[in-house]
Protein backbone atom coordinates (compact mmCIF):
# COMPACT_ATOMS: atom_id res chain seq x y z
CA UNK A 1 0.00 0.00 0.00
CA UNK A 2 2.42 2.62 -1.23
CA UNK A 3 2.83 4.94 -4.21
CA UNK A 4 5.17 7.65 -5.50
CA UNK A 5 4.02 10.86 -7.19
CA UNK A 6 5.83 13.91 -8.53
CA UNK A 7 4.48 17.45 -8.75
CA UNK A 8 5.99 20.77 -9.73
CA UNK A 9 5.42 24.15 -8.13
CA UNK A 10 3.38 26.63 -10.10
CA UNK A 11 4.12 30.32 -10.51
CA UNK A 12 1.07 32.57 -10.48
CA UNK A 13 0.92 35.26 -13.16
CA UNK A 14 -2.48 36.51 -11.99
CA UNK A 15 -2.20 36.02 -8.27
CA UNK A 16 -4.30 34.36 -5.62
CA UNK A 17 -4.27 36.41 -2.42
CA UNK A 18 -6.92 36.18 0.28
CA UNK A 19 -9.58 33.64 1.20
CA UNK A 20 -13.37 33.79 0.91
CA UNK A 21 -13.77 30.81 3.26
CA UNK A 22 -10.84 30.30 5.59
CA UNK A 23 -12.21 27.11 7.15
CA UNK A 24 -12.41 25.44 3.73
CA UNK A 25 -9.35 27.28 2.39
CA UNK A 26 -11.27 28.62 -0.61
CA UNK A 27 -9.55 31.49 -2.44
CA UNK A 28 -11.09 34.95 -2.61
CA UNK A 29 -10.20 35.35 -6.28
CA UNK A 30 -9.45 33.28 -9.34
CA UNK A 31 -5.89 32.95 -10.59
CA UNK A 32 -3.75 31.99 -13.57
CA UNK A 33 -0.38 30.26 -13.26
CA UNK A 34 2.29 28.33 -15.10
CA UNK A 35 3.36 24.87 -13.92
CA UNK A 36 7.11 24.33 -13.95
CA UNK A 37 9.04 21.32 -15.21
CA UNK A 38 12.53 21.03 -13.73
CA UNK A 39 11.59 21.97 -10.15
CA UNK A 40 9.63 19.27 -8.33
CA UNK A 41 8.55 17.55 -5.16
CA UNK A 42 8.70 13.77 -5.28
CA UNK A 43 6.69 12.07 -2.57
CA UNK A 44 6.40 8.46 -1.46
CA UNK A 45 3.43 7.51 0.74
CA UNK A 46 3.07 4.14 2.42
CA UNK A 47 0.15 3.15 4.63
CA UNK A 48 1.38 0.77 7.31
CA UNK A 49 -0.78 -0.96 9.95
CA UNK A 50 2.22 -1.28 12.26
CA UNK A 51 2.67 2.48 12.67
CA UNK A 52 1.03 4.23 15.61
CA UNK A 53 1.39 7.73 14.10
CA UNK A 54 2.07 9.39 10.76
CA UNK A 55 5.71 10.15 9.99
CA UNK A 56 7.08 12.75 7.56
CA UNK A 57 10.56 13.40 6.26
CA UNK A 58 11.64 16.12 3.83
CA UNK A 59 14.98 15.60 2.13
CA UNK A 60 15.83 12.98 4.72
CA UNK A 61 15.08 15.08 7.82
CA UNK A 62 12.08 14.64 10.10
CA UNK A 63 9.60 17.46 9.50
CA UNK A 64 7.25 18.06 12.43
CA UNK A 65 5.93 21.47 11.42
CA UNK A 66 4.23 20.29 8.22
CA UNK A 67 3.09 16.91 9.57
CA UNK A 68 -0.35 18.00 10.91
CA UNK A 69 -1.28 19.45 7.51
CA UNK A 70 -0.09 16.33 5.72
CA UNK A 71 -2.08 14.14 8.12
CA UNK A 72 -5.26 16.14 7.51
CA UNK A 73 -4.68 15.87 3.77
CA UNK A 74 -4.27 12.10 3.99
CA UNK A 75 -7.49 11.89 6.05
CA UNK A 76 -9.32 13.82 3.33
CA UNK A 77 -8.09 11.46 0.62
CA UNK A 78 -8.06 8.08 2.35
CA UNK A 79 -10.53 8.61 5.21
CA UNK A 80 -9.98 9.02 8.92
CA UNK A 81 -10.09 5.24 9.48
CA UNK A 82 -6.96 4.79 7.35
CA UNK A 83 -3.74 3.17 8.53
CA UNK A 84 -1.03 5.56 9.65
CA UNK A 85 1.35 6.64 6.92
CA UNK A 86 5.06 6.95 6.30
CA UNK A 87 5.56 9.99 4.04
CA UNK A 88 8.94 10.73 2.52
CA UNK A 89 9.49 13.78 0.34
CA UNK A 90 12.41 14.95 -1.79
CA UNK A 91 12.37 18.58 -2.95
CA UNK A 92 14.97 20.01 -5.34
CA UNK A 93 14.37 23.69 -4.54
CA UNK A 94 14.16 25.84 -1.36
CA UNK A 95 11.20 25.04 0.90
CA UNK A 96 8.89 27.65 2.50
CA UNK A 97 10.77 30.44 0.72
CA UNK A 98 8.12 31.78 -1.65
CA UNK A 99 8.58 29.17 -4.38
CA UNK A 100 5.26 27.32 -3.99
CA UNK A 101 6.79 24.33 -2.22
CA UNK A 102 3.50 23.67 -0.43
CA UNK A 103 1.66 23.64 -3.76
CA UNK A 104 3.90 20.94 -5.18
CA UNK A 105 3.90 19.02 -1.89
CA UNK A 106 0.14 18.73 -1.52
CA UNK A 107 -0.41 18.10 -5.23
CA UNK A 108 1.99 15.17 -5.00
CA UNK A 109 0.44 14.06 -1.71
CA UNK A 110 -3.12 13.69 -2.99
CA UNK A 111 -2.04 11.78 -6.10
CA UNK A 112 0.21 9.38 -4.17
CA UNK A 113 -2.27 8.94 -1.29
CA UNK A 114 -5.16 8.08 -3.59
CA UNK A 115 -3.10 5.39 -5.31
CA UNK A 116 -1.68 4.01 -2.07
CA UNK A 117 -5.17 3.84 -0.57
CA UNK A 118 -6.53 2.09 -3.65
CA UNK A 119 -9.01 4.86 -4.40
CA UNK A 120 -10.03 6.02 -7.87
CA UNK A 121 -10.44 9.80 -7.60
CA UNK A 122 -10.90 12.10 -10.58
CA UNK A 123 -8.50 14.99 -11.14
CA UNK A 124 -11.10 17.67 -10.36
CA UNK A 125 -11.69 16.15 -6.92
CA UNK A 126 -7.97 15.71 -6.32
CA UNK A 127 -7.44 19.38 -7.17
CA UNK A 128 -10.03 20.42 -4.60
CA UNK A 129 -8.52 18.10 -1.97
CA UNK A 130 -5.06 19.57 -2.60
CA UNK A 131 -6.48 23.08 -2.55
CA UNK A 132 -8.08 22.50 0.84
CA UNK A 133 -4.55 22.02 2.21
CA UNK A 134 -2.79 24.72 0.18
CA UNK A 135 -4.86 27.02 -2.01
CA UNK A 136 -2.40 27.13 -4.90
CA UNK A 137 -1.84 23.35 -4.83
CA UNK A 138 -4.98 22.83 -6.91
CA UNK A 139 -3.20 24.41 -9.87
CA UNK A 140 -0.24 22.00 -9.68
CA UNK A 141 -2.56 19.13 -10.62
CA UNK A 142 -2.60 20.61 -14.14
CA UNK A 143 0.16 21.47 -16.60
CA UNK A 144 1.09 24.42 -18.78
CA UNK A 145 -0.91 27.62 -18.36
CA UNK A 146 -3.55 26.93 -15.72
CA UNK A 147 -6.63 28.85 -14.57
CA UNK A 148 -8.37 28.36 -11.24
CA UNK A 149 -11.98 29.58 -11.10
CA UNK A 150 -14.17 29.96 -8.03
CA UNK A 151 -17.37 27.88 -8.16
CA UNK A 152 -19.64 28.33 -5.12
CA UNK A 153 -18.26 25.89 -2.53
CA UNK A 154 -15.51 24.51 -4.74
CA UNK A 155 -12.93 25.48 -7.36
CA UNK A 156 -12.63 24.48 -11.00
CA UNK A 157 -9.18 24.19 -12.53
CA UNK A 158 -8.24 23.69 -16.18
CA UNK A 159 -5.37 24.14 -18.61
CA UNK A 160 -5.65 27.20 -20.84
CA UNK A 161 -2.71 26.24 -23.05
CA UNK A 162 -0.40 23.25 -22.93
CA UNK A 163 3.24 23.80 -22.05
CA UNK A 164 4.52 22.76 -25.47
CA UNK A 165 2.15 25.19 -27.21
CA UNK A 166 3.99 28.20 -25.79
CA UNK A 167 7.27 27.01 -24.26
CA UNK A 168 8.26 30.02 -22.19
CA UNK A 169 11.14 29.79 -19.73
CA UNK A 170 11.23 30.77 -16.05
CA UNK A 171 14.46 32.07 -14.51
CA UNK A 172 14.23 32.11 -10.70
CA UNK A 173 16.59 34.40 -8.79
CA UNK A 174 16.96 33.09 -5.22
CA UNK A 175 17.64 36.12 -3.01
CA UNK A 176 17.10 34.29 0.30
CA UNK A 177 16.79 30.54 0.70
CA UNK A 178 15.56 30.68 4.29
CA UNK A 179 11.92 30.41 5.38
CA UNK A 180 9.81 33.55 5.02
CA UNK A 181 8.95 35.49 8.20
CA UNK A 182 5.15 35.34 7.81
CA UNK A 183 3.28 32.36 6.34
CA UNK A 184 1.14 33.04 3.30
CA UNK A 185 -2.02 32.01 5.13
CA UNK A 186 -1.42 34.39 8.03
CA UNK A 187 -0.40 37.19 5.68
CA UNK A 188 -3.54 36.79 3.57
CA UNK A 189 -5.77 37.06 6.60
CA UNK A 190 -3.91 40.13 7.84
CA UNK A 191 -4.38 41.75 4.43
CA UNK A 192 -8.07 40.92 4.36
CA UNK A 193 -8.65 42.41 7.77
CA UNK A 194 -6.43 45.49 7.64
CA UNK A 195 -5.39 46.56 4.15
CA UNK A 196 -7.41 49.48 2.71
CA UNK A 197 -6.61 48.15 -0.78
CA UNK A 198 -7.90 44.61 -0.24
CA UNK A 199 -11.47 45.10 -1.49
CA UNK A 200 -10.27 46.87 -4.64
CA UNK A 201 -7.87 43.99 -5.26
CA UNK A 202 -10.74 41.50 -5.19
CA UNK A 203 -13.00 43.68 -7.35
CA UNK A 204 -10.39 44.19 -10.09
CA UNK A 205 -9.34 40.55 -10.39
CA UNK A 206 -11.87 39.57 -13.11
CA UNK A 207 -10.49 42.30 -15.39
CA UNK A 208 -6.91 41.08 -14.89
CA UNK A 209 -7.92 37.46 -15.45
CA UNK A 210 -9.65 38.33 -18.71
CA UNK A 211 -6.61 40.25 -19.96
CA UNK A 212 -4.23 37.41 -19.13
CA UNK A 213 -6.54 34.79 -20.61
CA UNK A 214 -6.67 36.74 -23.89
CA UNK A 215 -2.89 37.21 -23.94
CA UNK A 216 -2.29 33.49 -23.42
CA UNK A 217 -4.84 32.63 -26.09
CA UNK A 218 -3.08 34.90 -28.58
CA UNK A 219 0.45 34.08 -27.34
CA UNK A 220 0.93 37.82 -26.93
CA UNK A 221 4.05 38.11 -24.77
CA UNK A 222 3.92 41.90 -24.36
CA UNK A 223 0.31 41.82 -23.19
CA UNK A 224 0.96 38.97 -20.77
CA UNK A 225 4.01 40.79 -19.40
CA UNK A 226 2.07 44.00 -18.79
CA UNK A 227 -0.86 42.43 -16.96
CA UNK A 228 1.31 40.00 -14.96
CA UNK A 229 3.59 42.72 -13.60
CA UNK A 230 0.62 44.96 -12.87
CA UNK A 231 -1.17 42.21 -10.94
CA UNK A 232 1.98 41.30 -9.01
CA UNK A 233 2.62 44.88 -7.89
CA UNK A 234 -1.01 45.31 -6.86
CA UNK A 235 -0.84 42.23 -4.66
CA UNK A 236 2.29 43.45 -2.92
CA UNK A 237 0.72 46.88 -2.49
CA UNK A 238 -2.10 45.19 -0.60
CA UNK A 239 0.50 43.53 1.64
CA UNK A 240 2.53 46.69 2.20
CA UNK A 241 -0.60 48.59 3.24
CA UNK A 242 -1.58 45.93 5.79
CA UNK A 243 -1.12 46.57 9.51
CA UNK A 244 1.53 45.72 10.43
CA UNK A 245 2.90 45.80 6.88
CA UNK A 246 3.99 42.60 5.16
CA UNK A 247 7.18 43.14 3.18
CA UNK A 248 8.80 40.02 1.79
CA UNK A 249 11.25 41.80 -0.52
CA UNK A 250 14.89 42.47 0.22
CA UNK A 251 17.41 44.71 -1.52
CA UNK A 252 18.32 41.99 -4.01
CA UNK A 253 14.64 41.61 -4.92
CA UNK A 254 14.59 45.27 -5.93
CA UNK A 255 17.88 44.98 -7.79
CA UNK A 256 16.51 42.06 -9.80
CA UNK A 257 13.41 44.04 -10.73
CA UNK A 258 15.58 46.96 -11.83
CA UNK A 259 17.80 44.68 -13.91
CA UNK A 260 14.73 43.24 -15.64
CA UNK A 261 13.57 46.78 -16.41
CA UNK A 262 16.98 47.42 -17.99
CA UNK A 263 16.69 44.28 -20.10
CA UNK A 264 13.21 45.28 -21.23
CA UNK A 265 14.54 48.69 -22.28
CA UNK A 266 16.87 47.06 -24.82
CA UNK A 267 14.15 44.81 -26.22
CA UNK A 268 14.64 41.62 -24.21
CA UNK A 269 11.39 39.66 -23.93
CA UNK A 270 11.21 39.20 -20.17
CA UNK A 271 8.97 40.19 -17.28
CA UNK A 272 9.01 39.65 -13.53
CA UNK A 273 6.60 38.28 -10.98
CA UNK A 274 7.07 37.82 -7.22
CA UNK A 275 4.99 35.72 -4.85
CA UNK A 276 4.87 35.73 -1.04
CA UNK A 277 8.62 35.75 -0.62
CA UNK A 278 11.74 37.57 -1.82
CA UNK A 279 12.47 35.43 -4.89
CA UNK A 280 12.11 36.99 -8.33
CA UNK A 281 10.73 34.90 -11.18
CA UNK A 282 11.68 36.19 -14.62
CA UNK A 283 9.51 34.78 -17.40
CA UNK A 284 11.10 35.02 -20.81
CA UNK A 285 11.16 33.59 -24.30
CA UNK A 286 13.60 30.70 -24.89
CA UNK A 287 16.05 32.77 -26.94
CA UNK A 288 16.42 35.26 -24.06
CA UNK A 289 17.01 32.69 -21.31
CA UNK A 290 20.81 32.80 -21.28
CA UNK A 291 20.88 36.60 -21.25
CA UNK A 292 18.35 36.85 -18.42
CA UNK A 293 20.07 34.17 -16.33
CA UNK A 294 23.49 35.84 -16.66
CA UNK A 295 22.10 39.30 -15.89
CA UNK A 296 20.44 38.16 -12.66
CA UNK A 297 23.20 35.81 -11.51
CA UNK A 298 25.79 38.60 -11.42
CA UNK A 299 23.82 40.76 -8.97
CA UNK A 300 24.96 41.08 -5.37
CA UNK A 301 22.56 39.29 -3.05
CA UNK A 302 21.43 36.69 -5.59
CA UNK A 303 22.37 33.40 -3.95
CA UNK A 304 21.64 31.21 -6.96
CA UNK A 305 19.62 31.08 -10.16
CA UNK A 306 17.36 28.20 -11.15
CA UNK A 307 15.89 27.74 -14.62
CA UNK A 308 12.84 25.76 -15.68
CA UNK A 309 10.57 25.29 -18.60
CA UNK A 310 6.84 24.67 -18.33
CA UNK A 311 5.69 21.16 -17.60
CA UNK A 312 2.83 18.76 -16.84
CA UNK A 313 0.62 18.41 -13.80
CA UNK A 314 1.12 16.11 -10.83
CA UNK A 315 1.28 12.41 -11.69
CA UNK A 316 2.28 9.02 -10.40
CA UNK A 317 5.86 8.15 -11.19
CA UNK A 318 8.10 5.10 -11.23
CA UNK A 319 8.42 3.28 -7.94
CA UNK A 320 12.07 4.21 -7.66
CA UNK A 321 13.18 6.08 -4.59
CA UNK A 322 16.41 7.99 -4.13
CA UNK A 323 17.33 8.94 -0.58
Amino acid sequence: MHAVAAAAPNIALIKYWGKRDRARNLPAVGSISVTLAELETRMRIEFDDTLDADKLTVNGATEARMLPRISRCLDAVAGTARSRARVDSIVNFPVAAGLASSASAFAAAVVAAAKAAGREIDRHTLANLAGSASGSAARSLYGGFVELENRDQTVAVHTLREAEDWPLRVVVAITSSGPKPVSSGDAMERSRLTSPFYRRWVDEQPTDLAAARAAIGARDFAALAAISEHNCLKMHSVMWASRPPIVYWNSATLDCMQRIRELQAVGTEVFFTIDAGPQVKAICTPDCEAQVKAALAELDGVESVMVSGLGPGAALTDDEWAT
Side-chain angles (χ1 to χ4, degrees), residues 215-236:
I216 292 165
R219 292 197 296 188
D220 185 334
F221 187 87
L224 185 60
I227 193 59
S228 296
E229 289 188 353
H230 177 64
N231 189 264
C232 167
L233 294 174
K234 280 197 300 183
M235 183 184 77
H236 284 277

CSV table of all heavy atoms in Angstrom, one decimal, residues 215-236:
chain,number,residue,atom,x,y,z
A,215,ALA,N,-4.3,37.2,-23.5
A,215,ALA,CA,-2.9,37.2,-23.9
A,215,ALA,C,-2.4,35.8,-24.2
A,215,ALA,O,-1.6,35.5,-25.1
A,215,ALA,CB,-2.1,37.9,-22.9
A,216,ILE,N,-2.7,34.9,-23.3
A,216,ILE,CA,-2.3,33.5,-23.4
A,216,ILE,C,-2.9,32.9,-24.7
A,216,ILE,O,-2.3,32.1,-25.4
A,216,ILE,CB,-2.6,32.7,-22.2
A,216,ILE,CG1,-1.8,33.2,-21.0
A,216,ILE,CG2,-2.4,31.2,-22.4
A,216,ILE,CD1,-2.3,32.7,-19.6
A,217,GLY,N,-4.2,33.2,-24.9
A,217,GLY,CA,-4.8,32.6,-26.1
A,217,GLY,C,-4.2,33.1,-27.4
A,217,GLY,O,-4.1,32.3,-28.3
A,218,ALA,N,-3.7,34.3,-27.4
A,218,ALA,CA,-3.1,34.9,-28.6
A,218,ALA,C,-1.6,34.7,-28.6
A,218,ALA,O,-0.9,35.1,-29.5
A,218,ALA,CB,-3.4,36.4,-28.7
A,219,ARG,N,-1.0,34.2,-27.5
A,219,ARG,CA,0.5,34.1,-27.3
A,219,ARG,C,1.1,35.5,-27.5
A,219,ARG,O,2.1,35.6,-28.2
A,219,ARG,CB,1.1,33.1,-28.3
A,219,ARG,CG,0.7,31.6,-28.0
A,219,ARG,CD,1.6,30.6,-28.6
A,219,ARG,NE,1.5,30.6,-30.0
A,219,ARG,CZ,2.1,29.7,-30.8
A,219,ARG,NH1,2.7,28.7,-30.3
A,219,ARG,NH2,2.0,29.8,-32.1
A,220,ASP,N,0.5,36.4,-26.9
A,220,ASP,CA,0.9,37.8,-26.9
A,220,ASP,C,1.8,38.1,-25.7
A,220,ASP,O,1.3,38.4,-24.6
A,220,ASP,CB,-0.3,38.7,-26.9
A,220,ASP,CG,0.1,40.2,-27.1
A,220,ASP,OD1,1.2,40.6,-26.8
A,220,ASP,OD2,-0.8,41.0,-27.6
A,221,PHE,N,3.1,38.0,-25.9
A,221,PHE,CA,4.1,38.1,-24.8
A,221,PHE,C,4.0,39.5,-24.1
A,221,PHE,O,4.0,39.6,-22.9
A,221,PHE,CB,5.5,37.8,-25.2
A,221,PHE,CG,6.5,37.7,-24.1
A,221,PHE,CD1,6.7,36.6,-23.4
A,221,PHE,CD2,7.2,38.9,-23.7
A,221,PHE,CE1,7.6,36.5,-22.3
A,221,PHE,CE2,8.0,38.8,-22.6
A,221,PHE,CZ,8.3,37.6,-21.9
A,222,ALA,N,3.9,40.5,-24.9
A,222,ALA,CA,3.9,41.9,-24.4
A,222,ALA,C,2.7,42.1,-23.5
A,222,ALA,O,2.8,42.7,-22.4
A,222,ALA,CB,4.0,42.9,-25.5
A,223,ALA,N,1.5,41.6,-24.0
A,223,ALA,CA,0.3,41.8,-23.2
A,223,ALA,C,0.3,41.0,-21.9
A,223,ALA,O,-0.1,41.5,-20.8
A,223,ALA,CB,-0.9,41.4,-24.0
A,224,LEU,N,0.9,39.8,-22.0
A,224,LEU,CA,1.0,39.0,-20.8
A,224,LEU,C,1.9,39.6,-19.8
A,224,LEU,O,1.7,39.6,-18.6
A,224,LEU,CB,1.4,37.5,-21.1
A,224,LEU,CG,1.4,36.5,-20.0
A,224,LEU,CD1,0.1,36.4,-19.3
A,224,LEU,CD2,2.0,35.2,-20.4
A,225,ALA,N,3.0,40.1,-20.3
A,225,ALA,CA,4.0,40.8,-19.4
A,225,ALA,C,3.4,42.0,-18.7
A,225,ALA,O,3.5,42.1,-17.4
A,225,ALA,CB,5.2,41.3,-20.2
A,226,ALA,N,2.6,42.8,-19.4
A,226,ALA,CA,2.1,44.0,-18.8
A,226,ALA,C,1.1,43.7,-17.7
A,226,ALA,O,1.1,44.2,-16.6
A,226,ALA,CB,1.4,44.8,-19.9
A,227,ILE,N,0.2,42.7,-18.0
A,227,ILE,CA,-0.9,42.4,-17.0
A,227,ILE,C,-0.3,41.6,-15.8
A,227,ILE,O,-0.7,41.8,-14.6
A,227,ILE,CB,-2.1,41.7,-17.6
A,227,ILE,CG1,-3.2,41.7,-16.6
A,227,ILE,CG2,-1.7,40.3,-18.0
A,227,ILE,CD1,-3.7,43.0,-16.2
A,228,SER,N,0.7,40.8,-16.0
A,228,SER,CA,1.3,40.0,-15.0
A,228,SER,C,2.1,40.9,-14.0
A,228,SER,O,1.9,40.8,-12.8
A,228,SER,CB,2.3,38.9,-15.5
A,228,SER,OG,1.5,38.0,-16.3
A,229,GLU,N,2.9,41.8,-14.5
A,229,GLU,CA,3.6,42.7,-13.6
A,229,GLU,C,2.6,43.6,-12.8
A,229,GLU,O,2.8,43.9,-11.6
A,229,GLU,CB,4.6,43.6,-14.4
A,229,GLU,CG,5.8,42.8,-14.9
A,229,GLU,CD,6.9,43.6,-15.5
A,229,GLU,OE1,6.7,44.8,-15.7
A,229,GLU,OE2,7.9,43.1,-15.8
A,230,HIS,N,1.6,44.1,-13.5
A,230,HIS,CA,0.6,45.0,-12.9
A,230,HIS,C,-0.1,44.2,-11.7
A,230,HIS,O,-0.2,44.8,-10.6
A,230,HIS,CB,-0.4,45.4,-13.9
A,230,HIS,CG,-1.5,46.2,-13.4
A,230,HIS,ND1,-1.3,47.5,-12.8
A,230,HIS,CD2,-2.9,46.0,-13.3
A,230,HIS,CE1,-2.5,48.0,-12.4
A,230,HIS,NE2,-3.4,47.1,-12.7
A,231,ASN,N,-0.5,43.0,-12.0
A,231,ASN,CA,-1.2,42.2,-10.9
A,231,ASN,C,-0.3,41.9,-9.8
A,231,ASN,O,-0.7,42.0,-8.6
A,231,ASN,CB,-1.7,40.9,-11.6
A,231,ASN,CG,-2.6,40.2,-10.6
A,231,ASN,OD1,-2.2,39.2,-10.0
A,231,ASN,ND2,-3.9,40.5,-10.6
A,232,CYS,N,1.0,41.6,-10.1
A,232,CYS,CA,2.0,41.3,-9.0
A,232,CYS,C,2.2,42.5,-8.1
A,232,CYS,O,2.1,42.4,-6.9
A,232,CYS,CB,3.3,40.9,-9.7
A,232,CYS,SG,4.7,40.9,-8.5
A,233,LEU,N,2.4,43.7,-8.7
A,233,LEU,CA,2.6,44.9,-7.9
A,233,LEU,C,1.4,45.3,-7.1
A,233,LEU,O,1.5,45.8,-6.0
A,233,LEU,CB,3.1,46.0,-8.8
A,233,LEU,CG,4.5,45.8,-9.4
A,233,LEU,CD1,4.8,46.9,-10.4
A,233,LEU,CD2,5.6,45.6,-8.4
A,234,LYS,N,0.2,45.0,-7.6
A,234,LYS,CA,-1.0,45.3,-6.9
A,234,LYS,C,-1.1,44.4,-5.6
A,234,LYS,O,-1.4,44.9,-4.5
A,234,LYS,CB,-2.3,45.1,-7.7
A,234,LYS,CG,-2.6,46.2,-8.6
A,234,LYS,CD,-4.0,46.2,-9.2
A,234,LYS,CE,-4.3,44.9,-9.9
A,234,LYS,NZ,-5.7,44.9,-10.5
A,235,MET,N,-0.8,43.1,-5.8
A,235,MET,CA,-0.8,42.2,-4.7
A,235,MET,C,0.1,42.7,-3.6
A,235,MET,O,-0.2,42.7,-2.4
A,235,MET,CB,-0.5,40.8,-5.1
A,235,MET,CG,-0.7,39.8,-4.0
A,235,MET,SD,-0.2,38.1,-4.4
A,235,MET,CE,1.6,38.2,-4.4
A,236,HIS,N,1.3,43.0,-3.9
A,236,HIS,CA,2.3,43.5,-2.9
A,236,HIS,C,1.9,44.8,-2.3
A,236,HIS,O,2.2,45.1,-1.1
A,236,HIS,CB,3.7,43.5,-3.5
A,236,HIS,CG,4.3,42.1,-3.6
A,236,HIS,ND1,4.9,41.4,-2.6
A,236,HIS,CD2,4.3,41.2,-4.7
A,236,HIS,CE1,5.2,40.2,-3.0
A,236,HIS,NE2,4.9,40.0,-4.2
